[in-house]
Amino acid sequence: MAQVTAPSPARPVEVELRPAPPVDLGRAARLGLIGGVAMVLVAATGIVGTFQTRLLIDPILPLGLLFLYLLAFAFGWMAGKPPAALEGFAPARANSRNLVAGALAGALGGLCVGVLAALMSTFDLRGVFVQLSPQLLEILTFGLPLGAAIIAIVAISAVAGAIGAGVHLLPIRLKRSLLPALVWVMMFALFTDLVGQLFAGLSAEFLTDFLFTGRGGALTIVGAITVFIVVFVAYWLLGGRETTLRGRIEAMPRGQRTRFSLIAAAVILIILWFVPKVMGPFVSQVLDTAGIYLLMALGLNIVVGYAGMLDLGYVAFFAVGAYTGAILTSPQSPAFTPQLLLIVAIPFVMIAAALAGLMVATPVIRMRGDYLAIVTLGFGEIARILFNSEWLAPIFGGAQGITNIPDLRIGPLQLSTPQDYFYPIFLVVLIAAYVTYALQNSRWGRAWMAMREDESVAEAMGVNVVTAKLSAFVVGAVLASFGGALFGAQIGSVFPHSFDIVVSVTVLVIIIVGGMGSVPGVALGALVLIVLPNLLREFSQYQFLFYGVLLIVMMLTKPEGFIPSKRRAQELHADELSQDAWLDIYGDKPTTDATTTEPPR
Amino acid sequence: MTKRRIHMLAVLGALALILAACGGGTSATTADGVTTTVGGDVTTTLADTSTTMADTSTTMAAGELGVIEIAAGDPIKIASLQAISGDVASLGLDQVRGIEIAIANKGEIAGHSIELAFNEDDLCNSEGGQTGATRIIADPQVVAVIGTSCSGAGVPASNVITSAGRILISGSNTSPVLTSDLAGNESAEHHDGYYRTAHNDAIQGAAAAKFVFEELGLTQVATINDGDPYTQGLTSAFEGPFEELGGTIVLSTAVTADQTDMTTPLTEASAAGAELIFFPIFQPAGDFIPEQAPSIAGLEDVVLMGADGLLSDTYVTLPQSEGMYFSGPTTPTTPAYEDFVTQYEEEYGEPPIQSFHAHAFDAANMVFTAIETIAQMSGDTLVIDLQALRDELGSMTYEGLTGTLSCDEFGDCAAPSINIMQNTEAEADIEAVRGNVLVTYTREDLGL
Amino acid sequence: MSEAISVPARPIRSASRVTPVTIFLWGLRIAALAVILYGSYQSISSGRLSGAQWRDLLIFGTSTGSVFALIALGYTMVYGVLRFINFAHGEVFMVGAMMAFYVANGLAATSLWIASPFVSLLIVFIAAMTTSASLAVLLERIAYRPLRNAPRLIPLITSIGASFTIQYLVSGLVGPSTKDFPRMEPLRGTINVAGSLIPTSRVVVIVVTVIVMIALYLFVERTRTGKSMRAVSEDQETAALMGIDVNRTIVTVFAVGGAMAGVAGALWGLVFPSLNYFSGFLPGIKAFTAAVLGGIGNILGAMLGGVSLGVVESIGPSLVLAGYDIPAFSQLKDVVAYAALVMVLIFRPTGILGERLSRDRT
C-alpha cells in the first residue's frame, strides 16, 4: 500500500530539514513505458478506432485520439508528481525537472505507439490482432507519412505528458479551479443526453441549443468555453475557503448539526421527488435499476460487511424474489396462476426468500471464509440452472421464462412508467437503509460484528453464532427478494439469463468500491457502478474492460472504498497509523482518516 | 435516547414525504390522461408535437401515433439494440456490422443522412432490453430500432418501443412468444409495431422434422438444446411435428451453452438408440458434439443435424462438421450477398462472425425503404408518420439478401421457406454449403 | 476487518450439546445418501447404459478432470502461500490456450506439423506454458504484490477485476469469434486400452497430466526452491528470517501455477478444439471448485479434487439424476458438481484432504 501514505499534519518547522529528494527520472521512464503499453492496448483493442467517430467538441476533438493522449497526460502527471513528503525532509517543490520527467514519460509512451504504427505499416497483423486495420493506422498517423507521423506522435505525447506534470507546478488555487473546469467540460461532452434531458426537463432547451450542436449532439467550441469559464470562475471564488464542507459540519455544535442534517435530508428528498419528472423515462429507468441494485447491496452489506461472511451467490435470493413474484402475479405462470396483486404477494415472496436463506445458510454454518465463498457461488449457479432447467420448467417456465407480469398497483394507483417506479423503489431503499442502519447498533448487529472479528471469542462471550449466521443470511435474502419482485414487475418478465453470476459480483463490487459497512458508501457505489455505465451505454462494448481496470486501480489506491465506514478505514490503515505514531516525535494525534485530510501547503 | 428519537422522526418524515411524492407522481401522470401504457408520457409528447404540426401544415393529417419531423440538414435517426458484450457478443456485433454496412450503402434518404444514433447493448437479458429501449425512446427523433439480438431482451423492448409509437425490427429473435404460433394465434407478448426478418421457430422446427422423417426415413431421434430460449424453442418446435408424423423422440436433453464435454448426453443418446441427433445450438458448444460423437460407442454412424445458428463459415469448415445436415432459411447465394461479405471483411478484418448479419442488414434496409415510401416533405421538413410507417412495413414486399420479405399480421416477415442443406466433402465454405440445398419447404408445404 | 473473512479454522464443536442444526445436518447427510443410493440403484438396475458405457464415461471424466486438476494447482498453490483466491487464474489458463492456438495454427501451415507431431506439440506446450507463466507473474507484480498485507477480501476483488480486464482485453485484441484449433492426425484416432477404444487425445491428456504432476510433486518435495515454497507457505516471516527470499518464492509460485495452467490450456485445445475469450471462465470456476473440494492449499488435494470433480460431472447426471426420470438431466451437470461440493463439505468442512492444513492455521 505504498501509494496511500497519509501525509502528516502541518506543524511549525522547528528542526532542520534535509532537502527533498528530486523527481526520479528512472521512475518516469518506467512509467512512460508502462503508459506506452497501455496506449498500445487502447489502440489495439479498437477503443481508438471505435470512438474516433464520437466527437467530444465539435469539430475539433474526437474521443478516440483524446483517449490515447489522455493516457500520456495521466502518466506524465504520475511521473511528474513530487515525491511524497517524508518526515525530516523539506516538502518537495515542483520545478522544471518535474516537467522534464512528465515529458519523458509521455514521449516514451508516444514512442510505443509510434513503434506500433511502424509495425502496422510494415506487416499485416490483422491475422491475429483484428483491430489493427488500415483505418486505425490512418487515424494514428494523422494521414502523414510514417517518419513524420512518429515524430508527431512522440511530440504530442511529450507535450501531453509535460502538461500532465505541469499540473503539479500550478498554484493550488489555480489548480483547484482549472481541473474541475476541465472535468466539467468532459462531463458535459460525455453525458450529452443526460445534460440535454436535464435542460429539457427544466424547460431550458435554449441552453442545449446554445451549448451543443443539437439534442444528443456534441459540445460546440463556444459551449465548451462557456462551461469552462463558468465552472472555473465558480471554483475560483469558492477556492478561498480553508476547510471542506464536511469539516465545517463536523465543527458545528450538536443541536445545529442535527438541524442541519434534517434540513439537508428534506432538501434531498424534495430533489428526489422531482428527479423522475425532470429526468424523463431513461434516466428514471437507470435510477430504478440502480435502486434495485442498491437494495441488494444493502442486503449483501449485512452478510459480508456486518457478519463477515463472503457470499458469492447472492443473486440466488434475487432470483427467488423475482420468480416468486412472477408466479404469484402473472397470468402466464406455467404451474398455477393465483394472479395476486404484487402488494398481496409480497409476504409470500418474503417467506420464500427467508426459506431460501435458511436453506443456503444451514449447510454452510460450519464452513470457513473461502469455503463459504465457493459454496455460495455454487448455490447461486445451482439456482440459475434450476430456474433454466427443463426439469422445473412446468413451474418456472424454463428457458422461456415467465412473461406478462402485471405492473405494480397500490390501491387505485397503477404504476407503469419508469418514472412511476422510481417512488416505490426508493421508498423500499430508504426503509432498507434505515433497517440496515438500525440493525448496526442493535443486539443482532453487535453479535454479527463480534462474530466477524473473531467467531470463537464471540461464541465464548455468549453470542449464539448459529442464530447470528442464520439471521444475517435471512435478512440479506429478504432484502434481495424485494429487489427481485420489484425487478420482475418493472421489466414485466423474468428470464433465467438475468440471474447470472455477474450480478452477484457486481453487487459485491458495489459494496466494496463504495465502502463496506457504510450506507452512504454503498449508495455511492451503486451510483458509480450502475448509473455511470448505463448513462455511457455507447461504451458498453468496453464496459467490463473499464470496470475491471477500475476495480484494480481502486483496490491498489483506495481499498477502503469511496466513503468508508470510519472503523473499516482505521483497520485498513492500521499499518500506516502505527508507522506514523512511531515517527510522531511531537506527540500530535495521528491522522485518523487519510481521505478527508488535505495535504499541507 | 433523544438522539434515537430524532432519527426516528427524521426517517418517518422522510417516508411521509416519499409517500406523498408517490401519490403525487402517479396522480400527475393520470392527470395527463395516460393511465396504463408503458412509455405513455412519450406518446403524449409526440401527440403534442403532432398537434402543433397539424396547425402549421394543413397538408397532412397525422396518424394517431404521431409523426417525426426531420429538419433540413438533420439526419434520420435509427438505433441498434443488440447484445454486444458478454458471451453472446458475437451475435450482436455481427448484426451491428450488418446495420452499419446498410447505413453506409444507403447513404441518404430524401436528402437526409442516416445516423445510427444509439448502439445499445441488450445484454441478452430482459433488463438490458428494457433499459436500452427506454434510453432509445427518450430521444423523440429515433424512428426505428433494429434489435434485439435475444428474444429474452425482445420481450420488454417490444413493449417499451412499440408503446412509444416507434418500430422494433429484429434480425435474430425467433421465439414464437414475440409474434404468433403461425397458426393464427397471437402470442401474449406480441405488440403492433414489432417486426422481424428472422424466421419463426415454428417453421424451421416443422421443416426439419418433415425432412428427417420423410427424406431421411429416420424415426429415432435425440434432440439437444443448450437452455437458451431460442434453441429450447426450436427443439420443442421440432419434437411436436416429428411425433405427429409418427417418429419417436428417444431422448430430449439439454446441455449448457458453455459446456465443452458432451460425452454424457452423447452416451445417453447412444444408449437410447438415436439414429439422428438434432442440436440447433451455437458455437462453441456446437463444435463439440460432432467432434466427440464418433468416439462414443454406438454413435459411429449417427446422423447429425444442426440449424442456422451453426451455419457460419467458421463452423462448416470444421473437419468434424462434414456430412452434417442443416436447416435454415433460404440463404443468400446471390452476387449481392457476396459483395456484402466482401465489404464486411474489408471493413472489420474478419469474415462474418455469426449467421444473422444479413438479417440485420435486411431489417435496416426494410426500414429505409419504408421510410422512403411514406416520408413526405412539408416545406423543408421531412415528415415521417409513424402509423403510416407501420402500415407500410406490414404490407410491403422487400427483396433482401435473405430472400423475399413480407410481414404477416403479427410481424413475422422472414422469407417463409426453409432450406435443408448438407455439408459434404465437396463443400469448402459456407457459400457452397448454402448452395447445396437438398429440399426446400415453404410455409404451405408445412401446413402453417 | 482484516479477519473479516477468516472465520476461525477450527470447526465449532459444542462438545456434548445436540443443537437443532446438528440434527438438521445429520438429516441432510442421511437424506443425501439416500437420494444418491436410490437414484444410482434405479439407473443401474434399469440397464439403460452398458458396462462399457459406464467405463467410457469414467475415462472421459478422468481426462476432463485432469485438466481441472492442472488448473486447480494454480489456485491451490497461490492460496497455500498467500491465503487468497486468485480469481483471474481461469484467464491465465485461457490466455495459455489462446497462445497454444496461435502457435499451433502457425505450425500447421508448415511441414513440421505432419512430419514431426511430437516436436510440434512440444513447441505448442512450451509456448503456452511460457505465456501463462509470464501473465501470472505479471499479475502478481502489478495487482497482488502491493496488496500483500491488505485484508484478504481486497486482493480477491482485485483478482475479479483482473479477470474482467484480461477477458475483455483478449476479446478486443483478437476478436470475440470462436477460434478453431488445427487437428493433428495422430491424435484423431483411438487407442485400445484394456479392451475399449479410447480417443487418443484423451489418453494423451491423462498421460501428460500424470507426468506433469509427478514432476511438480518432485519439484515441491525435493528441490531447494520447492522447500522454500513450503517454508513460505508455513510461515512467511520465519521463512524470511531463515534467509529465504519471500518475494522471489512467491513469484516462483505464480510462475509454476501459471505454467500448469498453460499446460492445461494446450491440453484443453487438444480435447476441446474450439475456444474464445470467455473459455477460461467456466473451467476456472470448476478448477476453483476442485481445489476447494480437495482441500484448498493442498497440492495433492487439488489433484484429487480435480479428477473427482471431472468424474462426478461425467457420471453423476447419468447415475443419480437419470434414476429419477428427470428430463434433460445432462443440463444439470453443473448442479451435480456444485451439489457434490456442498455434500463433501458438509461431511468434511475443510475438503477431502484439508484437515491438516486447517488444524495448523488460524
Side-chain angles (χ1 to χ4, degrees):
Chain A
M1 233 170 300
Q3 306 286 325
V4 212
T5 41
S8 29
R11 59 176 67 90
V13 179
E14 290 170 10
V15 284
E16 186 89 11
L17 293 177
R18 271 169 278 172
V23 167
D24 184 354
L25 286 183
R27 177 174 166 271
R30 275 201 305 280
L31 276 173
L33 289 176
I34 297 173
V37 172
M39 288 166 80
V40 167
L41 284 178
V42 160
T45 46
I47 294 178
V48 172
T50 309
F51 296 143
Q52 192 61 15
T53 48
R54 170 81 147 85
L55 290 180
L56 274 188
I57 299 175
D58 195 49
I60 50 166
L61 199 57
L63 184 54
L65 280 177
L66 176 73
F67 211 98
L68 197 65
Y69 291 109
L70 262 186
L71 278 174
F73 172 87
F75 278 89
W77 181 81
M78 280 190 263
K81 194 175 184 177
L86 288 173
E87 201 74 31
F89 288 88
R93 276 193 205 294
N95 54 33
S96 59
R97 198 179 154 89
N98 296 55
L99 282 185
V100 173
L104 175 68
L108 281 173
L111 196 61
C112 293
V113 179
V115 170
L116 175 74
L119 284 176
M120 281 169 70
S121 58
T122 345
F123 305 102
D124 183 17
L125 302 172
R126 288 182 89 182
V128 178
F129 301 108
V130 291
Q131 300 285 356
L132 299 181
S133 60
Q135 292 90 322
L136 179 64
L137 185 64
E138 178 83 18
I139 294 169
L140 288 180
T141 57
F142 314 101
L144 297 171
L146 186 64
I150 294 180
I151 295 172
I153 295 170
V154 172
I156 297 177
S157 310
V159 171
I163 295 175
V167 171
H168 301 292
L169 270 66
L170 294 176
I172 183 69
R173 188 165 177 181
L174 185 60
K175 191 160 94 180
R176 282 193 193 165
S177 317
L178 196 61
L179 288 184
L182 287 173
V183 169
W184 275 94
V185 172
M186 279 288 282
M187 302 247 278
F188 267 69
L190 277 177
F191 298 100
T192 42
D193 51 16
L194 177 67
V195 177
Q197 175 63 50
L198 182 66
F199 288 153
L202 298 170
S203 307
E205 280 97 343
F206 67 93
L207 279 174
T208 318
D209 297 339
F210 175 64
L211 296 175
F212 296 96
T213 51
R215 177 84 198 267
L219 208 58
T220 57
I221 298 179
V222 179
I225 294 174
T226 314
V227 174
F228 181 86
I229 291 176
V230 169
V231 180
F232 184 86
V233 169
Y235 272 83
W236 181 264
L237 295 178
L238 287 172
R241 302 275 171 87
E242 284 293 309
T243 48
T244 58
L245 185 66
R246 187 167 162 177
R248 260 179 295 150
I249 295 170
E250 274 169 3
M252 284 177 188
R254 228 182 100 187
Q256 201 187 343
R257 206 154 103 191
T258 319
R259 237 175 301 148
F260 181 85
S261 328
L262 279 176
I263 293 170
V267 169
I268 289 173
L269 284 175
I270 290 169
I271 292 174
L272 278 181
W273 183 19
F274 283 107
V275 159
K277 296 179 190 303
V278 172
M279 298 315 272
F282 169 60
V283 179
S284 303
Q285 172 67 45
V286 171
L287 290 174
D288 291 351
T289 311
I292 287 168
Y293 269 93
L294 181 51
L295 200 53
M296 285 198 276
L298 288 169
L300 189 64
N301 189 29
I302 291 179
V303 183
V304 182
Y306 289 178
M309 298 183 287
L310 181 54
D311 182 351
L312 290 182
Y314 194 60
V315 68
F317 306 124
F318 181 55
V320 167
Y323 269 96
T324 318
I327 288 173
L328 294 176
T329 58
S330 165
Q332 296 287 316
S333 150
F336 63 115
T337 47
Q339 297 202 37
L340 301 178
L341 286 176
L342 186 61
I343 287 287
V344 184
I346 282 288
F348 298 101
V349 172
M350 284 171 68
I351 293 170
L355 286 178
L358 283 178
M359 248 172 64
V360 173
T362 323
V364 302
I365 277 179
R366 285 174 46 198
M367 285 174 201
R368 294 171 45 206
D370 306 288
Y371 290 82
L372 190 68
I374 182 68
V375 170
T376 47
L377 189 151
F379 272 118
E381 287 292 279
I382 288 177
R384 182 179 60 82
I385 298 171
L386 287 183
F387 283 127
N388 195 17
S389 70
E390 285 176 32
W391 177 34
L392 298 179
I395 307 171
F396 301 122
Q400 308 301 336
I402 299 177
T403 56
N404 271 46
I405 302 174
D407 274 314
L408 179 59
R409 189 134 63 86
I410 308 168
L413 300 175
Q414 169 85 41
L415 308 186
S416 55
T417 60
Q419 294 100 303
D420 295 346
Y421 271 97
F422 180 85
Y423 299 109
I425 288 176
F426 273 78
L427 178 66
V428 177
V429 165
L430 271 184
I431 295 172
Y434 178 70
V435 167
T436 320
Y437 181 77
L439 277 175
Q440 190 168 14
N441 295 314
S442 72
R443 203 181 153 74
W444 276 10
R446 286 194 300 270
W448 289 333
M449 278 177 252
M451 192 172 74
R452 180 183 79 191
E453 298 305 326
D454 191 323
E455 201 172 303
S456 313
V457 173
E459 199 175 23
M461 298 305 283
V463 172
N464 185 339
V465 177
V466 171
T467 322
K469 283 190 173 179
L470 293 183
S471 57
F473 261 99
V474 168
V475 173
V478 168
L479 286 180
S481 73
F482 265 117
L486 284 169
F487 168 82
Q490 209 245 321
I491 307 280
S493 53
V494 290
F495 291 96
H497 216 105
S498 306
F499 307 105
D500 213 83
I501 186 182
V502 171
V503 177
S504 300
V505 173
T506 309
V507 176
L508 182 69
V509 169
I510 286 175
I511 64 174
I512 283 161
V513 167
M516 192 147 39
S518 133
V519 175
V522 172
L524 185 66
L527 200 71
V528 171
L529 288 159
I530 306 296
V531 176
L532 288 192
N534 271 304
L535 289 179
L536 292 170
R537 281 172 73 90
E538 59 260 51
F539 295 76
S540 53
Q541 201 181 331
Y542 298 102
Q543 177 185 332
F544 285 104
L545 183 58
F546 288 128
Y547 201 96
V549 172
L550 171 74
L551 273 185
I552 300 178
V553 171
M554 185 83 197
M555 286 303 109
L556 290 178
T557 54
K558 210 165 154 47
E560 70 275 17
F562 286 129
I563 308 179
S565 73
K566 278 220 170 97
R567 192 185 164 79
R568 199 170 142 70
Q570 277 171 12
E571 283 163 359
L572 277 166
H573 290 286
D575 292 351
E576 291 152 30
L577 291 185
S578 54
Q579 196 185 3
D580 278 2
W582 179 69
L583 283 168
D584 201 86
I585 47 172
Y586 303 95
D588 287 358
K589 271 193 188 164
T591 333
T592 46
D593 193 344
T595 58
T596 51
T597 321
E598 286 294 329
R601 293 289 151 184
Chain B
M1 219 31 225
T2 45
K3 196 180 163 198
R4 277 207 105 132
R5 202 170 292 161
I6 289 170
H7 273 298
M8 274 302 287
L9 268 176
V11 169
L12 281 178
L15 293 187
L17 254 174
I18 290 287
L19 272 176
C22 197
T26 325
S27 55
T29 325
T30 347
D32 287 345
V34 183
T35 44
T36 47
T37 49
V38 171
D41 279 357
V42 180
T43 326
T44 329
T45 344
L46 277 175
D48 288 350
T49 339
S50 63
T51 341
T52 35
M53 222 279 314
D55 288 347
T56 46
S57 76
T58 46
T59 51
M60 197 177 308
E64 55 187 87
L65 293 174
V67 299
I68 288 176
E69 295 178 25
I70 295 153
D74 282 356
I76 296 173
K77 287 184 177 180
I78 64 160
S80 148
L81 178 58
Q82 307 281 0
I84 50 178
S85 66
D87 50 350
V88 285
S90 58
L91 181 64
L93 283 179
D94 194 39
Q95 295 186 69
V96 172
R97 292 171 176 180
I99 299 167
E100 285 173 351
I101 294 174
I103 292 176
N105 289 1
K106 187 71 191 175
E108 51 184 35
I109 297 173
H112 292 264
S113 63
I114 308 166
E115 186 195 352
L116 187 63
F118 294 89
N119 183 7
E120 291 290 304
D121 193 346
D122 77 7
L123 301 173
C124 205
N125 60 28
S126 39
E127 64 271 32
Q130 169 99 359
T131 314
T134 318
R135 175 172 194 194
I136 291 169
I137 57 140
D139 183 341
Q141 289 299 104
V142 172
V143 182
V145 185
I146 321 287
T148 58
S149 297
C150 304
S151 297
V155 170
S158 164
N159 186 9
V160 170
I161 290 169
T162 58
S163 300
R166 266 54 87 68
I167 301 291
L168 177 64
I169 179 163
S170 167
S172 66
N173 292 163
T174 55
S175 169
V177 170
L178 289 161
T179 54
S180 73
D181 62 355
L182 294 185
N185 303 313
E186 185 180 12
S187 299
E189 290 289 350
H190 170 252
H191 305 280
D192 286 330
Y194 174 84
Y195 305 92
R196 64 181 174 202
T197 55
H199 54 274
N200 190 314
D201 285 341
I203 304 181
Q204 192 177 177
K210 201 175 168 74
F211 172 77
V212 171
F213 191 82
E214 291 179 355
E215 305 296 324
L216 296 181
L218 301 176
T219 54
Q220 310 288 306
V221 170
T223 62
I224 300 180
N225 72 65
D226 69 0
D228 176 87
Y230 160 74
T231 69
Q232 199 274 332
L234 188 48
T235 47
S236 39
F238 175 90
E239 288 164 7
F242 190 69
E243 291 189 321
E244 269 170 37
L245 287 167
T248 315
I249 301 295
V250 293
L251 178 74
S252 166
T253 195
V255 295
T256 53
D258 44 16
Q259 190 165 330
T260 49
D261 191 340
M262 303 296 173
T263 49
T264 311
L266 288 174
T267 306
E268 293 292 341
S270 160
E275 298 168 334
L276 180 138
I277 301 176
F278 181 57
F279 58 104
I281 61 179
F282 294 99
Q283 281 191 287
D287 298 6
F288 300 121
I289 291 179
E291 170 78 20
Q292 293 164 24
S295 64
I296 305 288
L299 290 185
E300 291 85 359
D301 300 314
V302 76
V303 182
L304 298 172
M305 183 163 182
D308 51 348
L310 291 176
L311 268 178
S312 66
D313 216 21
T314 49
Y315 192 75
V316 298
T317 50
L318 295 179
Q320 71 263 30
S321 71
E322 205 176 286
M324 268 181 68
Y325 295 95
F326 296 90
S327 64
T330 40
T331 32
T333 48
T334 52
Y337 180 70
E338 277 158 29
D339 291 348
F340 171 81
V341 171
T342 316
Q343 205 179 344
Y344 187 113
E345 285 186 35
E346 256 169 35
E347 192 72 27
Y348 303 105
E350 53 185 343
I353 51 178
Q354 266 281 357
S355 43
F356 290 107
H357 44 272
H359 295 83
F361 178 84
D362 281 352
N365 278 310
M366 274 179 78
V367 171
F368 300 156
T369 314
I371 294 176
E372 233 163 17
T373 315
I374 59 104
Q376 297 189 24
M377 294 303 289
S378 162
D380 275 352
T381 313
L382 186 73
V383 180
I384 299 171
D385 184 312
L386 291 170
Q387 185 60 53
L389 184 63
R390 279 187 186 183
D391 296 343
E392 174 62 21
L393 272 170
S395 61
M396 72 192 281
T397 302
Y398 176 78
E399 287 298 330
L401 292 182
T402 60
T404 308
L405 299 160
S406 73
C407 305
D408 72 7
E409 58 180 319
F410 304 115
D412 267 316
C413 313
S417 61
I418 295 289
N419 280 350
I420 307 291
M421 296 144 272
Q422 190 179 15
N423 182 19
T424 62
E425 206 176 344
E427 271 74 48
D429 60 11
I430 184 68
E431 297 310 319
V433 176
R434 284 188 171 135
N436 186 23
V437 177
L438 307 179
V439 197
T440 301
Y441 294 101
T442 63
R443 223 170 131 168
E444 290 73 45
D445 294 339
L446 302 166
L448 287 169
Chain C
M1 194 54 216
S2 62
E3 289 303 306
I5 301 309
S6 68
V7 173
R10 235 159 292 129
I12 297 109
R13 293 219 172 84
S14 344
S16 57
R17 256 195 331 177
V18 179
T19 61
V21 174
T22 329
I23 299 169
F24 176 84
L25 283 180
W26 274 108
L28 202 62
R29 286 169 188 162
I30 294 165
L33 272 183
V35 165
I36 292 170
L37 289 178
Y38 179 76
S40 314
Y41 171 74
Q42 284 287 315
S43 82
I44 291 175
S45 64
S46 74
R48 200 171 29 84
L49 296 188
S50 68
Q53 282 169 325
W54 287 117
R55 186 192 55 207
D56 287 353
L57 282 183
L58 185 70
I59 292 170
F60 290 136
T62 312
S63 72
T64 313
S66 309
V67 183
F68 289 158
L70 283 174
I71 311 173
L73 285 173
Y75 281 105
T76 222
M77 289 170 69
V78 168
Y79 188 89
V81 174
L82 291 180
R83 301 284 174 279
F84 98 95
I85 296 162
N86 180 8
F87 213 83
H89 192 62
E91 268 48 69
V92 172
F93 156 81
M94 179 269 291
V95 169
M98 275 286 170
M99 181 47 105
F101 161 74
Y102 281 108
V103 172
N105 222 16
L107 286 175
T110 67
S111 55
L112 188 70
W113 190 250
I114 295 161
S116 179
F118 183 75
V119 176
S120 313
L121 272 190
L122 202 65
I123 296 175
V124 169
F125 274 100
I126 291 173
M129 285 169 74
T130 325
T131 314
S132 287
S134 324
L135 180 65
V137 169
L138 194 71
L139 268 179
E140 195 273 337
R141 184 66 197 84
I142 296 176
Y144 306 144
R145 188 177 297 180
L147 300 172
R148 198 66 65 72
N149 296 317
R152 293 158 64 191
L153 203 51
I154 304 296
L156 174 67
I157 303 298
T158 316
S159 67
I160 292 175
S163 174
F164 278 127
T165 311
I166 297 173
Q167 267 177 25
Y168 285 87
L169 270 183
V170 169
S171 156
L173 287 176
V174 303
S177 59
T178 299
K179 319 275 183 274
D180 180 51
F181 254 74
R183 303 301 193 278
M184 185 168 266
E185 238 3 271
L187 292 183
R188 297 201 69 192
T190 49
I191 291 181
N192 193 330
V193 182
S196 66
L197 293 174
I198 308 297
T200 317
S201 54
R202 301 277 181 157
V203 179
V204 168
V205 168
I206 298 177
V207 170
V208 172
T209 306
V210 170
I211 296 173
V212 169
M213 294 240 170
I214 293 175
L216 177 76
Y217 193 77
L218 292 178
F219 173 73
V220 173
E221 293 293 323
R222 299 285 160 80
T223 63
R224 218 183 143 71
T225 323
K227 205 177 268 179
S228 53
M229 276 161 64
R230 282 181 292 142
V232 169
S233 85
E234 285 299 326
D235 187 333
Q236 264 187 41
E237 278 173 25
T238 316
L241 290 175
M242 295 310 214
I244 292 172
D245 185 342
V246 174
N247 265 340
R248 210 179 129 166
T249 311
I250 290 174
V251 168
T252 317
V253 166
F254 272 88
V256 174
M260 294 295 122
V263 176
L267 289 176
W268 192 261
L270 294 183
V271 194
F272 306 120
S274 295
L275 81 155
N276 59 25
Y277 70 98
F278 210 67
S279 299
F281 186 73
L282 196 72
I285 298 267
K286 285 291 171 60
F288 177 18
T289 308
V292 174
L293 195 65
I296 196 159
N298 186 318
I299 290 183
L300 277 179
M303 300 178 182
L304 195 64
V307 176
S308 357
L309 189 73
V311 170
V312 164
E313 262 195 20
S314 172
I315 290 191
S318 296
L319 187 63
V320 181
L321 300 182
Y324 293 94
D325 282 333
I326 290 174
F329 54 81
S330 37
Q331 192 178 27
L332 304 178
K333 197 179 78 153
D334 293 350
V335 173
V336 172
Y338 295 122
L341 173 79
V342 175
M343 285 303 135
V344 168
L345 292 185
I346 286 177
F347 283 99
R348 290 184 67 83
T350 48
I352 301 175
L353 296 180
E355 196 68 42
R356 185 190 65 84
L357 181 90
S358 76
R359 205 183 303 126
D360 293 352
R361 302 217 176 84
T362 359

